[in-house]
């Protein structure tokens, strides 16, 4: 294992043990629930939007290390972003975890989200890593349907 992979593992473990923004939000402007039946991951995303910008974001749920760390790092990464920036970041992140070559040039934009690059070697984990994102995008669209990765 390389040093960078060690570092990535450490960041993921840290967020699994101490998830950031792990709380319900009383006055959320949108909220959505997601479920990954392949792994059993469940997540609820709470979002507060003002003038098309994310002013607060939090989550609750229970799942594997990857799904929890991904939700935690996602909430940290998206505060202050506009809807368009969120969608663009998701596209880059999705490229990273599915191993699309273009993602490496854009990885610089990802910041801490880059720790999930190793997921591309484990296709079954892609759904764990993207569950929170799919749920978030559904809450942005105002969908009331629960999200399932299946
Ligand atoms: Zn999982």
């Amino acid at each position: 294992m390389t040093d960078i992979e060690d570092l990535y593992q450490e960041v993921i473990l840290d967020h699994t043990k101490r998830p950031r923004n792990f709380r319900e939000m009383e006055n959320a402007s949108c909220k959505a629930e997601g479920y990954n039946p392949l792994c059993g991951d469940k997540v609820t995303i709470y979002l507060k939007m003002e003038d098309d910008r994310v002013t607060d974001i939090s989550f609750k749920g229970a799942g594997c290390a990857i799904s929890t760390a991904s939700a935690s790092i996602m909430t940290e990464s998206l505060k202050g972003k506009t809807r368009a920036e969120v969608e663009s970041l998701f596209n880059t992140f999705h490229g990273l975890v599915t191993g699309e070559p273009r993602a490496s040039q854009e990885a610089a934009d990802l910041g801490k989200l880059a720790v999930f690059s190793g997921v591309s070697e484990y296709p079954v984990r892609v759904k764990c890593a993207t569950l929170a994102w799919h749920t978030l995008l559904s809450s942005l669209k105002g969908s009331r349907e629960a999200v399932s990765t299946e």
Side-chain angles (χ1 to χ4, degrees):
M1 201 180 250
T2 62
D3 290 348
I4 188 89
E5 283 168 343
D6 278 345
L7 175 71
Y8 284 178
Q9 284 296 332
E10 255 173 58
V11 173
I12 289 172
L13 265 178
D14 178 46
H15 278 266
T16 305
K17 285 186 193 148
R18 297 187 300 120
R20 317 299 199 271
N21 305 302
F22 190 77
R23 59 187 156 82
E24 285 178 34
M25 197 188 294
E26 293 278 314
N27 47 355
S29 14
C30 8
K31 171 185 161 186
E33 287 173 23
Y35 177 49
N36 172 16
L38 267 188
C39 181
D41 308 316
K42 281 183 184 159
V43 70
T44 305
I45 303 285
Y46 302 88
L47 199 59
K48 198 182 291 175
M49 301 290 291
E50 261 169 52
D51 299 332
D52 210 45
R53 208 171 271 280
V54 177
T55 53
D56 199 9
I57 175 168
S58 68
F59 79 106
K60 286 286 274 185
C64 66
I66 295 286
S67 72
T68 303
S70 175
S72 173
I73 295 175
M74 180 188 82
T75 59
E76 271 197 329
S77 306
L78 295 186
K79 243 176 242 185
K81 296 261 191 290
T82 64
R83 190 181 297 247
E85 286 168 341
V86 168
E87 283 169 7
S88 148
L89 202 55
F90 170 68
N91 286 334
T92 309
F93 179 73
H94 194 265
L96 176 85
V97 295
T98 53
E100 278 175 38
R102 67 176 175 90
S104 58
Q105 293 115 47
E106 295 169 2
D109 303 336
L110 285 170
K112 210 184 263 181
L113 291 163
V115 301
F116 294 100
S117 59
V119 168
S120 64
E121 288 169 40
Y122 306 94
V124 72
R125 289 287 175 202
V126 170
K127 287 182 174 167
C128 302
T130 55
L131 175 65
W133 287 87
H134 286 301
T135 308
L136 166 82
L137 292 178
S138 142
S139 92
L140 272 177
K141 288 187 187 116
S143 165
R144 304 232 163 248
E145 299 269 306
V147 176
S148 172
T149 54
E150 284 303 289

